[in-house]
Amino acid sequence: MNAELTEIRDFIKASPPFDKLPDDAADRLTENIHIGYLRKDSSLPPKNITEPRLYLVRKGALSYLDEQHELLGKFGEGDICTVFCLPDDKIKIAVRTDEDTLLYSINWQLVFDLLQPFPEVLAYFNTSAAERLQRQVSKIHEQAVVNGTLMNTSISDFYRAPAVTITAGASIRDAAIKMNEVNLSSLLVTEKGEMAGIVTDKDIRQRCVAQALSVEQPVSDIMTRQLISIEADNNAFDALVLMTTRQIHHLPVTREGKLAGMITVTDLIRQEGQNAVHITGAIHKAESIKALVEISKLVPKLQQHMVKTGTTAAHVGKSISAITAAFTVRLIEMAEKISGPAPVPYVWVAAGSQARREQCCHSDQDNALIISDQAKPEHDYWFHDLATFVCDGLAACGYAYCPGNVMASNPKWRQSQKVWGQYFEAWVNKPDPKALMHCSIFFDLAPIHGEMSLLTDLRQTMLAQTQGNTLFLAHLTKNALNLRPPLGFFRDFVLEKNGDNKNTLDLKHKGIAPIVDLARIYALAEGVSAVNTVERLRQVAGSASLTLASAKNLIDAVEFMGMLRIEHQVKQLQQGKLADNFLPPKQISRLEREHLKDAFKVVKSLQDVRQSVYG
Amino acid sequence: MSMKLLDKLHLALFGYQAHRKRLLARAPDGPLKAFLSVPFPDKNTPISEVPVLALDFETTGLDSKKDQLLSAGSVEINRGEICLKSRYHQIVKTRGLLDEDNVVIHQITDSAKEQGAELALVVEAILSALAGKVMLVHFARIEITFLRQACLELYGMAPIFPVIDTLMVAKRRLDKRGLPFDASGLRLGNLRQSHQLPAHFAHNALNDALATAELLLAEVACANHGEQLPLKHYLL
């Protein structure tokens, strides 16, 4: 091609998804460009253009508006506009120029033909926001695995043994029962004592239930015939390569040719969390607050390390939360050593992000005490001392006092099980704004130390009150919908619904919190006791509240945003700054912005569904 | 290269279409005759429907009789759109060594020049592309005089071209406003900037032609609040 058009070619190549194209393919796109100029407030496509085209903003800005003239998004230099690629009467999006705009366009059919050899680029146009996001998240997972220390780890260190098998003639129902018994998502299928294949819970869903196949059919009907296995003395990285090239998630492990066990992709990912185990070990051995404070200084470093080695956000959250729990338990043990044993049973509970196991280092503390109804008024001295000691200790270890005073040291949140029951009843029956705020904190509770049944019983009563309680759920929904994700990005700004621009994206409140809220509502509506957001979504998936596909999309969205959040925090920590949740769009790549926009879309569409159900 | 007095008179009296026919009758067979045999766009055609060829020359100097054409670049505007597919860029094989000053401006070195095409081929390509279109140039004098001079040398006579000069289009717009303005504001880069067009890599014939074409689109979009004016409003 003429070297003279390299400027335009480079511009094309800087615009995702074309950044993945080799130069010669980008050249061919470039030479097919038409250049037009539209005045401010013109509508797209230009009047004389009737063929389907892909548009690309070279200079200027576009606004997308829905039928009610509500702003859907703003697009600037380097943004592509696919609205007019495949004319669809159902989509009524108006596109208008916000400024005088120099616009590139290419015949869509031509783009489509040119991109045939590049399925990963073409996929951008063929897939929904949710699908693109999913692809990105699975890429991050793969990266997480590759970046770890898998090269140095032998499979024999962590495969699951023995392999759980079932004979090929057994029924699908038997296979499901066995999976439940052993709590595994896959079984090896044997035929005449030889390995014949593998059956997973996904096979049961997709090949049996979804196909209305009788569960009495032999399991061999739905298994994947798979005779690939790996010897236990290979390293974990080899296992990963094998699994990714064959696109499988479960791999049988053999020792000297004999079936010995199984390894899964999840096992590989989990390997990276091992560092957290060392820290919790040290906490258990600490003999003084001073020693705990020393250990607590390692926590930000651990988070940095985990992020650098590519660990997923969900996993970092679980590790950090586990460490917080370890600090709490150790402090409680110290307090009991000073004040003697508890006069009556109690349970120390964590609320908020720690309960959900989604904590980052430098989180505030959120905790409470549920005390047995046998307690007498004078017993509160003991619990007061305990709470004060533990909360002060946590503060010394870097967990700031809760600004809203949601701590066991506050008498209001240090109450008997009976009083807690009354609290929940009052919140559910009279959901005023303050009650709803308390709901979002105390519906996410996890036991940390003590008599667990105190919380389990309370939760059962509470769930019985919320499940199917449409009025309460409607209030909770309305409250949750106050937090809307932004529309997207415009140049280096975050674009809000009303057209405002902000310098930074509040990842916690505008991105992650709306999903956490949705997951809580689904869980309460369906009577699910899980507290962790991803677990809640998994458990309600396929229920009346949430389809399987939507659950998957939300999980991808929360993982992606969680990852951006911890990466941002690690960057801040490395620069010696305090970690926060405010991400400047300038700091992330154009591609990451695209994926973030996809995540916002997923959240927004499910908020809309929720609004139409309980609005 | 100025036109003969008689030609000028004829052009003024009968317009460029009639003048084209008069020249056609005299033209020798070949590229020039082929060019003149295609009618020019009608002066009353709305500007966005006029086929345009944005053209730029890089030369060794300003005098068409002494200086040489170094390279030519062009791109078409059809129905208000620039089509990159129609782009043309060619380095011209010149005689003698290049002046160092110009090499710096145009970044054409002697070795690159060696790979250039014969002037006759370049002029033929330009005439063929220009047939039935309006020539678009920013500060048109150089392109007009060099192309006419080349035709005179190659075919023994010089044709006429309907020309839009973006410098004059912008000047007229600014004059009409009645406010004083700095002449440097009429430079291609400055005018583009005033229309919020992106910076372009100047001193390459194709890039300058493209930059001029974009500028015309912007001028047309902004003229009379987007109302479509006929070609004659824009002609030099």
Side-chain angles (χ1 to χ4, degrees), chain A residues 1-2 4-5 7-8 30-39 46 48-49 53 58-59 100 102 104-105 110, chain B residues 79-85 87-89 195-201 204 206-207 210 214 217-218 221-222 225-226:
Chain A
M1 113 169 284
N2 280 325
E4 289 68 30
L5 291 181
E7 248 184 314
I8 299 178
T30 304
E31 54 192 27
N32 284 294
I33 286 177
H34 295 264
I35 304 173
Y37 185 94
L38 290 177
R39 277 211 88 179
N48 52 335
I49 312 299
R53 280 197 190 170
R58 174 66 183 89
K59 192 93 203 302
D100 293 345
L102 188 66
Y104 290 172
S105 63
L110 238 151
Chain B
R79 292 156 56 83
E81 282 192 315
I82 301 162
C83 316
L84 288 188
K85 192 134 224 176
R87 78 200 180 282
Y88 171 77
H89 185 251
H195 284 284
Q196 274 85 50
L197 289 166
H200 77 289
F201 175 68
N204 162 280
L206 177 58
N207 274 321
L210 193 54
E214 288 177 351
L217 295 187
C222 299
H225 311 287

Short mmCIF file of all heavy atoms in Angstrom, two decimals, chain A residues 1-2 4-5 7-8 30-39 46 48-49 53 58-59 100 102 104-105 110, chain B residues 79-85 87-89 195-201 204 206-207 210 214 217-218 221-222 225-226:
data_model
loop_
_atom_site.label_atom_id
_atom_site.label_comp_id
_atom_site.label_asym_id
_atom_site.label_seq_id
_atom_site.Cartn_x
_atom_site.Cartn_y
_atom_site.Cartn_z
N MET A 1 0.85 -1.20 0.00
CA MET A 1 0.00 0.00 0.00
C MET A 1 0.88 1.24 0.00
O MET A 1 2.03 1.19 0.40
CB MET A 1 -0.92 -0.03 1.21
CG MET A 1 -0.68 1.02 2.26
SD MET A 1 -2.01 1.06 3.44
CE MET A 1 -3.26 1.88 2.54
N ASN A 2 0.36 2.32 -0.42
CA ASN A 2 1.10 3.57 -0.35
C ASN A 2 1.46 3.87 1.09
O ASN A 2 0.60 3.83 1.96
CB ASN A 2 0.24 4.73 -0.86
CG ASN A 2 0.21 4.77 -2.37
OD1 ASN A 2 1.20 4.46 -3.01
ND2 ASN A 2 -0.92 5.13 -2.91
N GLU A 4 1.88 6.51 2.23
CA GLU A 4 1.24 7.78 2.58
C GLU A 4 0.00 7.62 3.46
O GLU A 4 -0.43 8.55 4.10
CB GLU A 4 0.86 8.55 1.31
CG GLU A 4 2.05 9.11 0.56
CD GLU A 4 2.92 8.02 -0.06
OE1 GLU A 4 2.38 6.95 -0.41
OE2 GLU A 4 4.14 8.24 -0.17
N LEU A 5 -0.60 6.43 3.45
CA LEU A 5 -1.83 6.27 4.24
C LEU A 5 -1.55 5.64 5.60
O LEU A 5 -2.47 5.28 6.32
CB LEU A 5 -2.86 5.43 3.48
CG LEU A 5 -3.48 6.12 2.25
CD1 LEU A 5 -4.49 5.20 1.59
CD2 LEU A 5 -4.12 7.44 2.61
N GLU A 7 -0.69 6.90 8.30
CA GLU A 7 -1.30 7.65 9.40
C GLU A 7 -2.71 7.15 9.70
O GLU A 7 -3.09 6.94 10.84
CB GLU A 7 -1.41 9.12 8.99
CG GLU A 7 -0.52 10.04 9.76
CD GLU A 7 -0.79 11.47 9.34
OE1 GLU A 7 -0.87 11.75 8.12
OE2 GLU A 7 -0.95 12.29 10.23
N ILE A 8 -3.48 6.97 8.62
CA ILE A 8 -4.86 6.51 8.77
C ILE A 8 -4.85 5.05 9.23
O ILE A 8 -5.61 4.65 10.09
CB ILE A 8 -5.63 6.69 7.45
CG1 ILE A 8 -5.68 8.16 7.08
CG2 ILE A 8 -7.04 6.11 7.57
CD1 ILE A 8 -6.37 8.46 5.77
N THR A 30 -8.09 0.08 5.44
CA THR A 30 -7.83 1.51 5.26
C THR A 30 -8.16 1.96 3.84
O THR A 30 -8.81 2.99 3.64
CB THR A 30 -6.35 1.82 5.56
OG1 THR A 30 -6.06 1.36 6.87
CG2 THR A 30 -6.07 3.30 5.44
N GLU A 31 -7.75 1.17 2.85
CA GLU A 31 -7.95 1.65 1.48
C GLU A 31 -9.42 1.63 1.08
O GLU A 31 -9.78 2.20 0.06
CB GLU A 31 -7.06 0.89 0.49
CG GLU A 31 -7.20 -0.60 0.56
CD GLU A 31 -6.09 -1.30 -0.24
OE1 GLU A 31 -5.01 -0.73 -0.39
OE2 GLU A 31 -6.35 -2.42 -0.69
N ASN A 32 -10.27 1.01 1.88
CA ASN A 32 -11.70 1.00 1.56
C ASN A 32 -12.49 2.04 2.34
O ASN A 32 -13.72 2.05 2.31
CB ASN A 32 -12.27 -0.39 1.81
CG ASN A 32 -11.88 -1.35 0.71
OD1 ASN A 32 -12.31 -1.17 -0.43
ND2 ASN A 32 -11.03 -2.31 1.01
N ILE A 33 -11.77 2.91 3.04
CA ILE A 33 -12.45 3.93 3.85
C ILE A 33 -13.05 5.02 2.98
O ILE A 33 -12.47 5.44 1.98
CB ILE A 33 -11.45 4.52 4.86
CG1 ILE A 33 -11.18 3.53 5.97
CG2 ILE A 33 -11.94 5.85 5.43
CD1 ILE A 33 -10.17 4.00 6.98
N HIS A 34 -14.24 5.46 3.38
CA HIS A 34 -14.82 6.69 2.86
C HIS A 34 -14.73 7.72 3.97
O HIS A 34 -14.94 7.39 5.13
CB HIS A 34 -16.29 6.50 2.50
CG HIS A 34 -16.50 5.53 1.39
ND1 HIS A 34 -16.64 5.92 0.08
CD2 HIS A 34 -16.58 4.19 1.39
CE1 HIS A 34 -16.80 4.85 -0.67
NE2 HIS A 34 -16.77 3.78 0.10
N ILE A 35 -14.43 8.97 3.60
CA ILE A 35 -14.33 9.99 4.63
C ILE A 35 -15.45 11.01 4.41
O ILE A 35 -15.64 11.49 3.29
CB ILE A 35 -12.97 10.71 4.58
CG1 ILE A 35 -11.83 9.68 4.69
CG2 ILE A 35 -12.86 11.76 5.67
CD1 ILE A 35 -10.44 10.27 4.47
N GLY A 36 -16.19 11.27 5.45
CA GLY A 36 -17.25 12.27 5.36
C GLY A 36 -17.13 13.27 6.50
O GLY A 36 -16.40 13.03 7.47
N TYR A 37 -17.80 14.39 6.36
CA TYR A 37 -17.75 15.42 7.40
C TYR A 37 -19.18 15.83 7.71
O TYR A 37 -19.96 16.17 6.81
CB TYR A 37 -16.96 16.63 6.88
CG TYR A 37 -16.73 17.72 7.89
CD1 TYR A 37 -15.56 17.75 8.65
CD2 TYR A 37 -17.66 18.74 8.07
CE1 TYR A 37 -15.33 18.76 9.56
CE2 TYR A 37 -17.43 19.76 8.99
CZ TYR A 37 -16.26 19.75 9.74
OH TYR A 37 -16.03 20.76 10.65
N LEU A 38 -19.55 15.72 8.98
CA LEU A 38 -20.92 16.06 9.37
C LEU A 38 -20.91 17.21 10.34
O LEU A 38 -20.10 17.24 11.27
CB LEU A 38 -21.60 14.86 10.04
CG LEU A 38 -21.92 13.67 9.13
CD1 LEU A 38 -22.52 12.54 9.94
CD2 LEU A 38 -22.89 14.10 8.04
N ARG A 39 -21.80 18.14 10.11
CA ARG A 39 -21.91 19.25 11.05
C ARG A 39 -22.50 18.77 12.36
O ARG A 39 -23.18 17.77 12.42
CB ARG A 39 -22.84 20.32 10.47
CG ARG A 39 -22.15 21.24 9.53
CD ARG A 39 -22.77 22.61 9.57
NE ARG A 39 -22.15 23.42 10.61
CZ ARG A 39 -22.52 24.67 10.84
NH1 ARG A 39 -23.46 25.24 10.13
NH2 ARG A 39 -21.92 25.37 11.77
N PRO A 46 -25.42 9.55 7.04
CA PRO A 46 -25.66 10.68 6.15
C PRO A 46 -26.72 10.31 5.11
O PRO A 46 -26.81 9.15 4.71
CB PRO A 46 -24.30 10.90 5.48
CG PRO A 46 -23.31 10.25 6.37
CD PRO A 46 -24.01 9.12 7.04
N ASN A 48 -27.22 10.44 1.95
CA ASN A 48 -26.98 9.75 0.67
C ASN A 48 -26.45 8.33 0.84
O ASN A 48 -26.26 7.62 -0.12
CB ASN A 48 -26.02 10.57 -0.20
CG ASN A 48 -24.77 10.93 0.57
OD1 ASN A 48 -24.77 11.01 1.79
ND2 ASN A 48 -23.68 11.14 -0.14
N ILE A 49 -26.20 7.90 2.09
CA ILE A 49 -25.65 6.55 2.31
C ILE A 49 -26.78 5.58 2.63
O ILE A 49 -27.47 5.71 3.63
CB ILE A 49 -24.64 6.52 3.47
CG1 ILE A 49 -23.62 7.65 3.36
CG2 ILE A 49 -23.96 5.15 3.56
CD1 ILE A 49 -22.77 7.62 2.12
N ARG A 53 -23.04 0.31 6.73
CA ARG A 53 -21.63 0.65 6.90
C ARG A 53 -21.23 0.64 8.36
O ARG A 53 -22.05 0.87 9.24
CB ARG A 53 -21.36 2.06 6.34
CG ARG A 53 -21.22 2.10 4.84
CD ARG A 53 -20.57 3.40 4.44
NE ARG A 53 -20.62 3.60 3.01
CZ ARG A 53 -20.30 4.75 2.42
NH1 ARG A 53 -19.96 5.80 3.16
NH2 ARG A 53 -20.35 4.86 1.12
N ARG A 58 -13.24 9.88 13.51
CA ARG A 58 -11.85 10.33 13.40
C ARG A 58 -11.64 11.55 14.27
O ARG A 58 -10.62 11.71 14.91
CB ARG A 58 -11.52 10.63 11.93
CG ARG A 58 -10.14 11.23 11.71
CD ARG A 58 -9.05 10.22 12.08
NE ARG A 58 -7.73 10.76 11.95
CZ ARG A 58 -7.09 11.41 12.90
NH1 ARG A 58 -7.67 11.58 14.08
NH2 ARG A 58 -5.87 11.87 12.72
N LYS A 59 -12.62 12.44 14.25
CA LYS A 59 -12.56 13.66 15.07
C LYS A 59 -14.00 14.06 15.33
O LYS A 59 -14.84 13.94 14.44
CB LYS A 59 -11.83 14.77 14.29
CG LYS A 59 -11.46 15.97 15.10
CD LYS A 59 -10.04 15.84 15.64
CE LYS A 59 -9.75 16.66 16.87
NZ LYS A 59 -9.93 18.07 16.76
N ASP A 100 -18.95 19.08 15.24
CA ASP A 100 -18.60 18.85 13.84
C ASP A 100 -17.71 17.60 13.83
O ASP A 100 -16.78 17.50 14.62
CB ASP A 100 -17.82 20.04 13.27
CG ASP A 100 -18.71 21.28 13.19
OD1 ASP A 100 -19.94 21.14 13.30
OD2 ASP A 100 -18.16 22.39 13.01
N LEU A 102 -15.54 14.50 11.76
CA LEU A 102 -14.91 13.86 10.60
C LEU A 102 -15.06 12.36 10.81
O LEU A 102 -14.61 11.81 11.81
CB LEU A 102 -13.43 14.25 10.52
CG LEU A 102 -12.68 13.80 9.26
CD1 LEU A 102 -13.23 14.50 8.03
CD2 LEU A 102 -11.19 14.08 9.39
N TYR A 104 -15.03 8.35 9.41
CA TYR A 104 -14.61 7.31 8.48
C TYR A 104 -15.74 6.29 8.39
O TYR A 104 -16.41 6.02 9.39
CB TYR A 104 -13.36 6.58 8.98
CG TYR A 104 -12.08 7.39 8.96
CD1 TYR A 104 -10.92 6.88 9.55
CD2 TYR A 104 -12.02 8.64 8.36
CE1 TYR A 104 -9.74 7.60 9.54
CE2 TYR A 104 -10.84 9.37 8.35
CZ TYR A 104 -9.71 8.85 8.95
OH TYR A 104 -8.55 9.57 8.94
N SER A 105 -15.93 5.70 7.21
CA SER A 105 -16.90 4.61 7.13
C SER A 105 -16.43 3.60 6.10
O SER A 105 -15.71 3.93 5.16
CB SER A 105 -18.28 5.14 6.78
OG SER A 105 -18.28 5.75 5.51
N LEU A 110 -17.89 -5.52 3.17
CA LEU A 110 -16.46 -5.55 2.91
C LEU A 110 -15.66 -5.85 4.18
O LEU A 110 -14.73 -6.65 4.19
CB LEU A 110 -16.06 -4.18 2.37
CG LEU A 110 -15.41 -4.19 1.01
CD1 LEU A 110 -15.69 -2.91 0.29
CD2 LEU A 110 -13.93 -4.42 1.20
N ARG B 79 -20.15 12.29 -4.33
CA ARG B 79 -21.35 12.41 -3.51
C ARG B 79 -21.02 12.82 -2.08
O ARG B 79 -21.53 12.27 -1.10
CB ARG B 79 -22.14 11.10 -3.52
CG ARG B 79 -22.76 10.77 -4.88
CD ARG B 79 -23.02 9.29 -5.08
NE ARG B 79 -23.87 8.74 -4.02
CZ ARG B 79 -25.20 8.81 -4.00
NH1 ARG B 79 -25.84 9.40 -4.99
NH2 ARG B 79 -25.88 8.30 -3.02
N GLY B 80 -20.13 13.79 -1.98
CA GLY B 80 -19.82 14.34 -0.66
C GLY B 80 -18.92 13.49 0.20
O GLY B 80 -18.77 13.75 1.39
N GLU B 81 -18.32 12.45 -0.39
CA GLU B 81 -17.45 11.58 0.39
C GLU B 81 -16.10 11.39 -0.29
O GLU B 81 -16.04 11.22 -1.51
CB GLU B 81 -18.05 10.18 0.50
CG GLU B 81 -19.14 10.03 1.50
CD GLU B 81 -19.43 8.55 1.70
OE1 GLU B 81 -19.51 7.81 0.69
OE2 GLU B 81 -19.54 8.15 2.84
N ILE B 82 -15.05 11.34 0.52
CA ILE B 82 -13.72 11.05 -0.02
C ILE B 82 -13.57 9.53 -0.07
O ILE B 82 -13.88 8.86 0.90
CB ILE B 82 -12.63 11.63 0.90
CG1 ILE B 82 -12.81 13.14 1.03
CG2 ILE B 82 -11.24 11.26 0.40
CD1 ILE B 82 -12.08 13.74 2.21
N CYS B 83 -13.13 9.01 -1.21
CA CYS B 83 -12.95 7.56 -1.31
C CYS B 83 -11.46 7.27 -1.35
O CYS B 83 -10.79 7.60 -2.33
CB CYS B 83 -13.58 7.02 -2.58
SG CYS B 83 -15.21 7.71 -2.89
N LEU B 84 -10.94 6.64 -0.32
CA LEU B 84 -9.50 6.36 -0.28
C LEU B 84 -9.08 5.39 -1.37
O LEU B 84 -7.94 5.36 -1.79
CB LEU B 84 -9.10 5.81 1.09
CG LEU B 84 -9.11 6.81 2.24
CD1 LEU B 84 -8.50 6.19 3.49
CD2 LEU B 84 -8.36 8.08 1.88
N LYS B 85 -10.06 4.60 -1.82
CA LYS B 85 -9.75 3.65 -2.87
C LYS B 85 -9.27 4.38 -4.14
O LYS B 85 -8.48 3.84 -4.92
CB LYS B 85 -11.00 2.83 -3.19
CG LYS B 85 -10.73 1.64 -4.04
CD LYS B 85 -11.43 0.40 -3.48
CE LYS B 85 -10.48 -0.77 -3.53
NZ LYS B 85 -11.02 -1.96 -2.94
N ARG B 87 -7.35 6.86 -4.35
CA ARG B 87 -6.13 7.64 -4.15
C ARG B 87 -5.08 7.35 -5.23
O ARG B 87 -5.02 6.25 -5.79
CB ARG B 87 -5.53 7.34 -2.76
CG ARG B 87 -4.80 6.02 -2.73
CD ARG B 87 -4.64 5.51 -1.34
NE ARG B 87 -3.94 4.25 -1.36
CZ ARG B 87 -4.52 3.10 -1.67
NH1 ARG B 87 -5.80 3.07 -2.00
NH2 ARG B 87 -3.82 1.98 -1.68
N TYR B 88 -4.26 8.35 -5.49
CA TYR B 88 -3.18 8.19 -6.47
C TYR B 88 -1.97 8.94 -5.92
O TYR B 88 -2.10 10.05 -5.40
CB TYR B 88 -3.63 8.79 -7.81
CG TYR B 88 -2.52 8.88 -8.85
CD1 TYR B 88 -2.11 7.75 -9.55
CD2 TYR B 88 -1.90 10.11 -9.13
CE1 TYR B 88 -1.11 7.83 -10.51
CE2 TYR B 88 -0.89 10.20 -10.08
CZ TYR B 88 -0.49 9.06 -10.77
OH TYR B 88 0.50 9.13 -11.71
N HIS B 89 -0.83 8.31 -5.99
CA HIS B 89 0.39 9.01 -5.57
C HIS B 89 1.54 8.53 -6.44
O HIS B 89 1.73 7.33 -6.61
CB HIS B 89 0.71 8.73 -4.10
CG HIS B 89 1.88 9.53 -3.62
ND1 HIS B 89 3.09 8.96 -3.32
CD2 HIS B 89 2.02 10.86 -3.42
CE1 HIS B 89 3.94 9.91 -2.95
NE2 HIS B 89 3.31 11.07 -2.99
N HIS B 195 -11.48 24.34 11.60
CA HIS B 195 -12.65 23.46 11.44
C HIS B 195 -12.56 22.24 12.35
O HIS B 195 -13.29 21.28 12.16
CB HIS B 195 -12.78 22.98 9.99
CG HIS B 195 -13.31 24.04 9.07
ND1 HIS B 195 -14.65 24.38 9.05
CD2 HIS B 195 -12.71 24.83 8.16
CE1 HIS B 195 -14.84 25.35 8.14
NE2 HIS B 195 -13.67 25.63 7.60
N GLN B 196 -11.64 22.26 13.30
CA GLN B 196 -11.41 21.13 14.21
C GLN B 196 -11.02 19.84 13.48
O GLN B 196 -11.31 18.74 13.94
CB GLN B 196 -12.65 20.84 15.08
CG GLN B 196 -12.71 21.67 16.33
CD GLN B 196 -13.36 23.01 16.05
OE1 GLN B 196 -14.40 23.06 15.46
NE2 GLN B 196 -12.72 24.07 16.49
N LEU B 197 -10.40 20.00 12.31
CA LEU B 197 -9.91 18.80 11.63
C LEU B 197 -8.56 18.40 12.24
O LEU B 197 -7.82 19.26 12.71
CB LEU B 197 -9.74 19.07 10.13
CG LEU B 197 -11.04 19.22 9.34
CD1 LEU B 197 -10.80 19.82 7.97
CD2 LEU B 197 -11.74 17.88 9.22
N PRO B 198 -8.27 17.09 12.25
CA PRO B 198 -7.01 16.67 12.90
C PRO B 198 -5.78 17.16 12.13
O PRO B 198 -5.86 17.46 10.94
CB PRO B 198 -7.10 15.15 12.86
CG PRO B 198 -8.08 14.81 11.79
CD PRO B 198 -9.03 15.96 11.72
N ALA B 199 -4.66 17.23 12.82
CA ALA B 199 -3.41 17.62 12.18
C ALA B 199 -3.05 16.56 11.14
O ALA B 199 -3.33 15.39 11.33
CB ALA B 199 -2.31 17.71 13.23
N HIS B 200 -2.47 16.96 10.04
CA HIS B 200 -2.09 15.96 9.04
C HIS B 200 -0.60 16.07 8.73
O HIS B 200 0.04 17.07 9.03
CB HIS B 200 -2.92 16.14 7.76
CG HIS B 200 -2.46 17.29 6.90
ND1 HIS B 200 -2.64 18.60 7.26
CD2 HIS B 200 -1.82 17.30 5.71
CE1 HIS B 200 -2.13 19.38 6.33
NE2 HIS B 200 -1.63 18.63 5.37
N PHE B 201 -0.07 15.01 8.16
CA PHE B 201 1.34 14.99 7.80
C PHE B 201 1.52 15.73 6.48
O PHE B 201 1.15 15.23 5.43
CB PHE B 201 1.82 13.53 7.70
CG PHE B 201 3.23 13.42 7.22
CD1 PHE B 201 4.28 13.87 8.01
CD2 PHE B 201 3.51 12.89 5.96
CE1 PHE B 201 5.58 13.77 7.56
CE2 PHE B 201 4.81 12.79 5.52
CZ PHE B 201 5.85 13.24 6.32
N ASN B 204 3.50 15.92 1.71
CA ASN B 204 3.45 14.71 0.91
C ASN B 204 2.24 14.95 0.03
O ASN B 204 1.18 15.36 0.52
CB ASN B 204 3.27 13.48 1.80
CG ASN B 204 2.78 12.29 1.01
OD1 ASN B 204 1.59 12.18 0.72
ND2 ASN B 204 3.69 11.40 0.65
N LEU B 206 -0.03 13.19 -1.60
CA LEU B 206 -1.31 12.53 -1.33
C LEU B 206 -1.94 13.03 -0.03
O LEU B 206 -3.12 13.32 0.03
CB LEU B 206 -1.14 11.01 -1.29
CG LEU B 206 -2.41 10.22 -0.95
CD1 LEU B 206 -3.54 10.52 -1.93
CD2 LEU B 206 -2.12 8.74 -0.91
N ASN B 207 -1.09 13.18 1.00
CA ASN B 207 -1.62 13.66 2.28
C ASN B 207 -2.17 15.07 2.15
O ASN B 207 -3.20 15.40 2.75
CB ASN B 207 -0.53 13.64 3.35
CG ASN B 207 -0.45 12.28 4.02
OD1 ASN B 207 -1.49 11.66 4.26
ND2 ASN B 207 0.75 11.82 4.28
N LEU B 210 -5.49 14.92 0.32
CA LEU B 210 -6.49 14.40 1.24
C LEU B 210 -6.90 15.47 2.26
O LEU B 210 -8.09 15.66 2.55
CB LEU B 210 -5.88 13.19 1.97
CG LEU B 210 -6.78 12.26 2.76
CD1 LEU B 210 -7.93 11.76 1.90
CD2 LEU B 210 -5.95 11.09 3.27
N GLU B 214 -10.66 17.06 2.73
CA GLU B 214 -11.38 17.13 4.01
C GLU B 214 -11.77 18.56 4.33
O GLU B 214 -12.87 18.82 4.83
CB GLU B 214 -10.52 16.56 5.15
CG GLU B 214 -10.37 15.04 5.09
CD GLU B 214 -9.45 14.46 6.17
OE1 GLU B 214 -8.77 15.25 6.88
OE2 GLU B 214 -9.41 13.23 6.29
N LEU B 217 -14.88 19.48 2.42
CA LEU B 217 -16.09 18.92 3.04
C LEU B 217 -16.52 19.78 4.23
O LEU B 217 -17.71 20.05 4.42
CB LEU B 217 -15.85 17.48 3.51
CG LEU B 217 -15.56 16.42 2.45
CD1 LEU B 217 -15.51 15.03 3.09
CD2 LEU B 217 -16.59 16.44 1.34
N ALA B 218 -15.55 20.21 5.02
CA ALA B 218 -15.86 21.03 6.19
C ALA B 218 -16.42 22.39 5.76
O ALA B 218 -17.40 22.87 6.32
CB ALA B 218 -14.62 21.21 7.05
N ALA B 221 -19.94 21.88 4.53
CA ALA B 221 -20.87 21.59 5.63
C ALA B 221 -21.21 22.86 6.40
O ALA B 221 -22.31 23.03 6.90
CB ALA B 221 -20.27 20.54 6.56
N CYS B 222 -20.25 23.78 6.48
CA CYS B 222 -20.46 24.97 7.31
C CYS B 222 -21.04 26.15 6.52
O CYS B 222 -21.48 27.12 7.12
CB CYS B 222 -19.15 25.39 7.96
SG CYS B 222 -18.53 24.09 9.03
N HIS B 225 -25.20 27.50 6.75
CA HIS B 225 -25.89 26.59 7.68
C HIS B 225 -26.23 25.26 7.02
O HIS B 225 -27.32 24.73 7.20
CB HIS B 225 -27.14 27.24 8.24
CG HIS B 225 -26.87 28.62 8.75
ND1 HIS B 225 -26.18 28.83 9.93
CD2 HIS B 225 -27.12 29.84 8.22
CE1 HIS B 225 -26.04 30.14 10.11
NE2 HIS B 225 -26.61 30.76 9.11
N GLY B 226 -25.31 24.75 6.24
CA GLY B 226 -25.50 23.42 5.66
C GLY B 226 -26.35 23.41 4.41
O GLY B 226 -26.55 22.36 3.80
#
